[in-house]
Short mmCIF file of all heavy atoms in Angstrom, two decimals:
data_model
loop_
_atom_site.label_atom_id
_atom_site.label_comp_id
_atom_site.label_asym_id
_atom_site.label_seq_id
_atom_site.Cartn_x
_atom_site.Cartn_y
_atom_site.Cartn_z
N SER P 1 14.36 0.53 -66.30
CA SER P 1 13.68 -0.23 -67.36
C SER P 1 14.68 -1.01 -68.19
O SER P 1 15.85 -0.63 -68.32
CB SER P 1 12.92 0.74 -68.29
OG SER P 1 11.92 1.44 -67.61
N LEU P 2 14.19 -2.11 -68.73
CA LEU P 2 14.93 -2.90 -69.71
C LEU P 2 13.95 -3.41 -70.75
O LEU P 2 12.77 -3.62 -70.44
CB LEU P 2 15.63 -4.10 -69.07
CG LEU P 2 16.91 -3.87 -68.29
CD1 LEU P 2 17.34 -5.18 -67.61
CD2 LEU P 2 18.02 -3.36 -69.18
N ARG P 3 14.46 -3.65 -71.95
CA ARG P 3 13.64 -4.25 -73.00
C ARG P 3 14.33 -5.52 -73.48
O ARG P 3 15.45 -5.46 -74.00
CB ARG P 3 13.45 -3.30 -74.17
CG ARG P 3 12.45 -3.80 -75.21
CD ARG P 3 12.59 -3.02 -76.48
NE ARG P 3 11.43 -3.16 -77.35
CZ ARG P 3 11.45 -2.91 -78.66
NH1 ARG P 3 12.57 -2.50 -79.24
NH2 ARG P 3 10.36 -3.05 -79.39
N LEU P 4 13.69 -6.64 -73.28
CA LEU P 4 14.20 -7.91 -73.77
C LEU P 4 13.64 -8.18 -75.16
O LEU P 4 12.49 -7.86 -75.45
CB LEU P 4 13.81 -9.05 -72.83
CG LEU P 4 14.21 -8.91 -71.37
CD1 LEU P 4 13.82 -10.17 -70.60
CD2 LEU P 4 15.67 -8.60 -71.21
N SER P 5 14.47 -8.81 -75.98
CA SER P 5 14.05 -9.24 -77.31
C SER P 5 14.32 -10.73 -77.45
O SER P 5 15.26 -11.27 -76.85
CB SER P 5 14.82 -8.49 -78.39
OG SER P 5 14.57 -7.10 -78.33
N CYS P 6 13.50 -11.38 -78.26
CA CYS P 6 13.69 -12.79 -78.55
C CYS P 6 13.48 -12.96 -80.06
O CYS P 6 12.37 -12.79 -80.55
CB CYS P 6 12.72 -13.65 -77.76
SG CYS P 6 12.73 -15.40 -78.20
N ALA P 7 14.57 -13.29 -80.74
CA ALA P 7 14.52 -13.47 -82.19
C ALA P 7 14.34 -14.95 -82.51
O ALA P 7 15.05 -15.81 -81.96
CB ALA P 7 15.79 -12.95 -82.83
N ALA P 8 13.41 -15.24 -83.39
CA ALA P 8 13.10 -16.62 -83.75
C ALA P 8 13.49 -16.91 -85.19
O ALA P 8 13.39 -16.04 -86.06
CB ALA P 8 11.61 -16.88 -83.56
N SER P 9 13.92 -18.12 -85.42
CA SER P 9 14.22 -18.55 -86.78
C SER P 9 13.76 -19.99 -86.93
O SER P 9 13.75 -20.77 -85.97
CB SER P 9 15.70 -18.43 -87.08
OG SER P 9 16.47 -19.23 -86.20
N GLY P 10 13.38 -20.35 -88.15
CA GLY P 10 12.91 -21.71 -88.38
C GLY P 10 11.53 -21.68 -89.00
O GLY P 10 11.33 -21.08 -90.04
N HIS P 11 10.58 -22.29 -88.33
CA HIS P 11 9.24 -22.40 -88.87
C HIS P 11 8.50 -21.06 -88.80
O HIS P 11 9.01 -20.07 -88.30
CB HIS P 11 8.47 -23.48 -88.12
CG HIS P 11 8.91 -24.86 -88.48
ND1 HIS P 11 8.26 -25.99 -88.04
CD2 HIS P 11 9.96 -25.29 -89.21
CE1 HIS P 11 8.90 -27.05 -88.50
NE2 HIS P 11 9.93 -26.66 -89.20
N THR P 12 7.28 -21.03 -89.29
CA THR P 12 6.49 -19.80 -89.38
C THR P 12 6.21 -19.24 -88.00
O THR P 12 5.45 -19.81 -87.22
CB THR P 12 5.17 -20.07 -90.12
OG1 THR P 12 5.45 -20.67 -91.39
CG2 THR P 12 4.42 -18.77 -90.34
N PHE P 13 6.83 -18.09 -87.71
CA PHE P 13 6.75 -17.48 -86.38
C PHE P 13 5.32 -17.19 -85.99
O PHE P 13 4.93 -17.35 -84.83
CB PHE P 13 7.59 -16.20 -86.40
CG PHE P 13 7.62 -15.46 -85.10
CD1 PHE P 13 8.28 -15.98 -84.00
CD2 PHE P 13 6.99 -14.22 -84.97
CE1 PHE P 13 8.32 -15.30 -82.80
CE2 PHE P 13 7.03 -13.53 -83.79
CZ PHE P 13 7.69 -14.06 -82.69
N SER P 14 4.51 -16.77 -86.93
CA SER P 14 3.14 -16.36 -86.63
C SER P 14 2.24 -17.53 -86.25
O SER P 14 1.08 -17.32 -85.88
CB SER P 14 2.54 -15.60 -87.81
OG SER P 14 2.54 -16.42 -88.97
N ASN P 15 2.74 -18.75 -86.30
CA ASN P 15 1.98 -19.92 -85.84
C ASN P 15 2.18 -20.21 -84.36
O ASN P 15 1.52 -21.11 -83.82
CB ASN P 15 2.40 -21.17 -86.62
CG ASN P 15 1.96 -21.13 -88.07
OD1 ASN P 15 1.13 -20.32 -88.46
ND2 ASN P 15 2.53 -22.01 -88.88
N TYR P 16 3.08 -19.47 -83.72
CA TYR P 16 3.52 -19.82 -82.37
C TYR P 16 2.99 -18.90 -81.28
O TYR P 16 3.04 -17.66 -81.41
CB TYR P 16 5.05 -19.80 -82.30
CG TYR P 16 5.71 -20.96 -82.99
CD1 TYR P 16 5.86 -20.97 -84.37
CD2 TYR P 16 6.19 -22.05 -82.27
CE1 TYR P 16 6.46 -22.04 -85.01
CE2 TYR P 16 6.79 -23.12 -82.90
CZ TYR P 16 6.92 -23.11 -84.27
OH TYR P 16 7.52 -24.17 -84.90
N ILE P 17 2.51 -19.50 -80.20
CA ILE P 17 2.36 -18.78 -78.93
C ILE P 17 3.79 -18.49 -78.44
O ILE P 17 4.65 -19.36 -78.49
CB ILE P 17 1.65 -19.64 -77.88
CG1 ILE P 17 0.21 -19.93 -78.29
CG2 ILE P 17 1.69 -18.96 -76.52
CD1 ILE P 17 -0.45 -20.97 -77.38
N MET P 18 4.02 -17.27 -77.95
CA MET P 18 5.32 -16.90 -77.42
C MET P 18 5.19 -16.50 -75.95
O MET P 18 4.24 -15.79 -75.58
CB MET P 18 5.92 -15.75 -78.21
CG MET P 18 6.15 -16.04 -79.68
SD MET P 18 7.29 -17.43 -79.95
CE MET P 18 8.79 -16.78 -79.19
N GLY P 19 6.13 -16.95 -75.15
CA GLY P 19 6.06 -16.63 -73.73
C GLY P 19 7.42 -16.24 -73.18
O GLY P 19 8.47 -16.62 -73.72
N TRP P 20 7.38 -15.46 -72.11
CA TRP P 20 8.58 -15.14 -71.33
C TRP P 20 8.40 -15.79 -69.96
O TRP P 20 7.35 -15.63 -69.32
CB TRP P 20 8.75 -13.63 -71.16
CG TRP P 20 9.23 -12.94 -72.40
CD1 TRP P 20 8.49 -12.25 -73.31
CD2 TRP P 20 10.59 -12.85 -72.84
NE1 TRP P 20 9.30 -11.75 -74.30
CE2 TRP P 20 10.60 -12.10 -74.03
CE3 TRP P 20 11.81 -13.32 -72.35
CZ2 TRP P 20 11.76 -11.82 -74.75
CZ3 TRP P 20 12.97 -13.04 -73.06
CH2 TRP P 20 12.94 -12.30 -74.24
N PHE P 21 9.43 -16.50 -69.56
CA PHE P 21 9.47 -17.14 -68.25
C PHE P 21 10.71 -16.64 -67.52
O PHE P 21 11.65 -16.15 -68.15
CB PHE P 21 9.55 -18.67 -68.41
CG PHE P 21 8.32 -19.27 -69.03
CD1 PHE P 21 8.10 -19.19 -70.40
CD2 PHE P 21 7.39 -19.94 -68.25
CE1 PHE P 21 6.95 -19.74 -70.98
CE2 PHE P 21 6.25 -20.51 -68.81
CZ PHE P 21 6.04 -20.40 -70.18
N ARG P 22 10.74 -16.79 -66.20
CA ARG P 22 11.92 -16.42 -65.45
C ARG P 22 12.16 -17.40 -64.32
O ARG P 22 11.24 -18.04 -63.83
CB ARG P 22 11.80 -15.00 -64.90
CG ARG P 22 10.75 -14.81 -63.82
CD ARG P 22 10.64 -13.33 -63.45
NE ARG P 22 9.66 -13.10 -62.38
CZ ARG P 22 9.30 -11.90 -61.95
NH1 ARG P 22 9.82 -10.81 -62.51
NH2 ARG P 22 8.41 -11.78 -60.98
N GLN P 23 13.43 -17.49 -63.95
CA GLN P 23 13.82 -18.35 -62.84
C GLN P 23 14.87 -17.65 -62.01
O GLN P 23 15.96 -17.33 -62.52
CB GLN P 23 14.33 -19.69 -63.33
CG GLN P 23 14.57 -20.69 -62.21
CD GLN P 23 14.75 -22.10 -62.70
OE1 GLN P 23 15.09 -22.34 -63.85
NE2 GLN P 23 14.52 -23.08 -61.82
N ALA P 24 14.53 -17.41 -60.76
CA ALA P 24 15.46 -16.82 -59.81
C ALA P 24 16.21 -17.93 -59.08
O ALA P 24 15.71 -19.06 -58.99
CB ALA P 24 14.70 -15.94 -58.82
N PRO P 25 17.39 -17.64 -58.53
CA PRO P 25 18.15 -18.67 -57.82
C PRO P 25 17.34 -19.30 -56.70
O PRO P 25 16.72 -18.59 -55.89
CB PRO P 25 19.35 -17.89 -57.27
CG PRO P 25 19.50 -16.73 -58.20
CD PRO P 25 18.11 -16.36 -58.61
N GLY P 26 17.31 -20.62 -56.67
CA GLY P 26 16.60 -21.33 -55.62
C GLY P 26 15.09 -21.36 -55.77
O GLY P 26 14.39 -21.86 -54.88
N LYS P 27 14.59 -20.84 -56.87
CA LYS P 27 13.15 -20.82 -57.09
C LYS P 27 12.78 -21.57 -58.36
O LYS P 27 13.61 -21.78 -59.24
CB LYS P 27 12.64 -19.38 -57.17
CG LYS P 27 12.79 -18.60 -55.87
CD LYS P 27 12.10 -17.26 -55.96
CE LYS P 27 12.15 -16.51 -54.64
NZ LYS P 27 11.44 -15.20 -54.71
N GLU P 28 11.51 -21.96 -58.45
CA GLU P 28 11.02 -22.62 -59.64
C GLU P 28 10.82 -21.61 -60.77
O GLU P 28 10.60 -20.42 -60.52
CB GLU P 28 9.70 -23.33 -59.34
CG GLU P 28 9.83 -24.51 -58.39
CD GLU P 28 8.54 -25.30 -58.28
OE1 GLU P 28 7.52 -24.87 -58.84
OE2 GLU P 28 8.57 -26.34 -57.60
N ARG P 29 10.88 -22.11 -61.99
CA ARG P 29 10.62 -21.26 -63.14
C ARG P 29 9.14 -20.85 -63.12
O ARG P 29 8.27 -21.67 -62.83
CB ARG P 29 10.96 -22.00 -64.42
CG ARG P 29 10.82 -21.17 -65.68
CD ARG P 29 11.53 -21.82 -66.85
NE ARG P 29 11.11 -23.18 -67.08
CZ ARG P 29 11.73 -24.02 -67.89
NH1 ARG P 29 12.82 -23.64 -68.54
NH2 ARG P 29 11.28 -25.26 -68.06
N GLU P 30 8.89 -19.59 -63.44
CA GLU P 30 7.53 -19.09 -63.45
C GLU P 30 7.26 -18.32 -64.74
O GLU P 30 8.16 -17.75 -65.35
CB GLU P 30 7.28 -18.17 -62.25
CG GLU P 30 8.12 -16.92 -62.23
CD GLU P 30 7.79 -16.00 -61.07
OE1 GLU P 30 6.83 -16.28 -60.33
OE2 GLU P 30 8.50 -14.98 -60.93
N ILE P 31 6.01 -18.31 -65.12
CA ILE P 31 5.65 -17.55 -66.31
C ILE P 31 5.58 -16.08 -65.96
O ILE P 31 5.16 -15.70 -64.86
CB ILE P 31 4.31 -18.05 -66.91
CG1 ILE P 31 4.08 -17.39 -68.27
CG2 ILE P 31 3.16 -17.80 -65.94
CD1 ILE P 31 3.04 -18.07 -69.10
N VAL P 32 6.05 -15.25 -66.86
CA VAL P 32 5.98 -13.80 -66.72
C VAL P 32 4.85 -13.24 -67.56
O VAL P 32 3.99 -12.50 -67.08
CB VAL P 32 7.32 -13.16 -67.15
CG1 VAL P 32 7.23 -11.64 -67.08
CG2 VAL P 32 8.46 -13.68 -66.28
N ALA P 33 4.85 -13.62 -68.84
CA ALA P 33 3.82 -13.14 -69.76
C ALA P 33 3.82 -14.03 -71.00
O ALA P 33 4.82 -14.67 -71.31
CB ALA P 33 4.10 -11.69 -70.18
N HIS P 34 2.68 -14.07 -71.67
CA HIS P 34 2.67 -14.74 -72.97
C HIS P 34 1.70 -14.03 -73.90
O HIS P 34 0.85 -13.24 -73.47
CB HIS P 34 2.39 -16.23 -72.85
CG HIS P 34 1.02 -16.62 -72.39
ND1 HIS P 34 -0.02 -16.87 -73.24
CD2 HIS P 34 0.54 -16.85 -71.14
CE1 HIS P 34 -1.09 -17.23 -72.55
NE2 HIS P 34 -0.77 -17.22 -71.27
N ILE P 35 1.87 -14.29 -75.18
CA ILE P 35 1.11 -13.61 -76.22
C ILE P 35 0.68 -14.62 -77.26
O ILE P 35 1.43 -15.54 -77.61
CB ILE P 35 1.94 -12.45 -76.82
CG1 ILE P 35 1.12 -11.61 -77.80
CG2 ILE P 35 3.22 -12.97 -77.48
CD1 ILE P 35 1.80 -10.29 -78.16
N SER P 36 -0.54 -14.48 -77.74
CA SER P 36 -1.08 -15.42 -78.71
C SER P 36 -0.37 -15.30 -80.05
O SER P 36 0.35 -14.32 -80.30
CB SER P 36 -2.58 -15.20 -78.89
OG SER P 36 -2.82 -13.88 -79.37
N SER P 37 -0.57 -16.30 -80.89
CA SER P 37 0.13 -16.33 -82.17
C SER P 37 -0.16 -15.09 -83.03
O SER P 37 0.72 -14.60 -83.73
CB SER P 37 -0.23 -17.61 -82.93
OG SER P 37 -1.64 -17.70 -83.12
N SER P 38 -1.37 -14.58 -82.95
CA SER P 38 -1.75 -13.40 -83.73
C SER P 38 -1.33 -12.10 -83.05
O SER P 38 -1.28 -11.05 -83.69
CB SER P 38 -3.25 -13.36 -83.96
OG SER P 38 -3.92 -13.14 -82.72
N GLY P 39 -1.07 -12.18 -81.76
CA GLY P 39 -0.77 -10.98 -80.98
C GLY P 39 -2.00 -10.32 -80.38
O GLY P 39 -1.88 -9.33 -79.67
N ALA P 40 -3.17 -10.90 -80.61
CA ALA P 40 -4.41 -10.27 -80.16
C ALA P 40 -4.62 -10.42 -78.66
O ALA P 40 -5.33 -9.62 -78.04
CB ALA P 40 -5.59 -10.86 -80.91
N ASN P 41 -4.05 -11.47 -78.06
CA ASN P 41 -4.27 -11.75 -76.64
C ASN P 41 -2.96 -11.78 -75.89
O ASN P 41 -1.96 -12.32 -76.39
CB ASN P 41 -4.98 -13.09 -76.47
CG ASN P 41 -6.35 -13.10 -77.10
OD1 ASN P 41 -7.25 -12.39 -76.66
ND2 ASN P 41 -6.53 -13.90 -78.12
N THR P 42 -2.97 -11.22 -74.68
CA THR P 42 -1.79 -11.26 -73.81
C THR P 42 -2.21 -11.65 -72.40
O THR P 42 -3.36 -11.43 -71.99
CB THR P 42 -1.08 -9.89 -73.75
OG1 THR P 42 -2.02 -8.89 -73.30
CG2 THR P 42 -0.53 -9.49 -75.10
N TYR P 43 -1.26 -12.24 -71.70
CA TYR P 43 -1.47 -12.62 -70.30
C TYR P 43 -0.25 -12.20 -69.51
O TYR P 43 0.89 -12.31 -69.98
CB TYR P 43 -1.67 -14.13 -70.17
CG TYR P 43 -1.60 -14.62 -68.75
CD1 TYR P 43 -2.72 -14.56 -67.93
CD2 TYR P 43 -0.40 -15.08 -68.21
CE1 TYR P 43 -2.65 -14.98 -66.61
CE2 TYR P 43 -0.33 -15.49 -66.89
CZ TYR P 43 -1.45 -15.43 -66.10
OH TYR P 43 -1.38 -15.83 -64.79
N TYR P 44 -0.47 -11.74 -68.26
CA TYR P 44 0.62 -11.34 -67.38
C TYR P 44 0.44 -11.97 -66.01
O TYR P 44 -0.68 -12.07 -65.50
CB TYR P 44 0.64 -9.81 -67.22
CG TYR P 44 0.89 -9.07 -68.50
CD1 TYR P 44 -0.16 -8.62 -69.28
CD2 TYR P 44 2.19 -8.84 -68.94
CE1 TYR P 44 0.07 -7.96 -70.48
CE2 TYR P 44 2.43 -8.17 -70.13
CZ TYR P 44 1.37 -7.74 -70.89
OH TYR P 44 1.61 -7.09 -72.07
N ALA P 45 1.56 -12.36 -65.43
CA ALA P 45 1.54 -12.78 -64.04
C ALA P 45 1.18 -11.57 -63.18
O ALA P 45 1.51 -10.43 -63.53
CB ALA P 45 2.90 -13.33 -63.63
#
């Protein structure tokens, strides 16, 4: 297991959809997961 963190600074964080994407060598970038601005909704590949 691993836990990734992403720290944001600047504008109001709670206004933003946040997503994790990944790109393996020789492959296109793909979405892994995303979460709505409120945190109420999540999506996973």
Side-chain angles (χ1 to χ4, degrees):
S1 298
L2 283 174
R3 188 195 197 200
L4 305 184
S5 298
C6 173
S9 60
H11 287 187
T12 306
F13 180 70
S14 59
N15 291 346
Y16 287 79
I17 295 171
M18 299 300 298
W20 285 99
F21 295 77
R22 68 185 182 186
Q23 188 166 21
K27 294 188 176 181
E28 292 188 354
R29 185 164 54 192
E30 62 177 355
I31 189 164
V32 176
H34 67 92
I35 186 167
S36 61
S37 57
S38 68
N41 297 295
T42 57
Y43 168 83
Y44 298 93

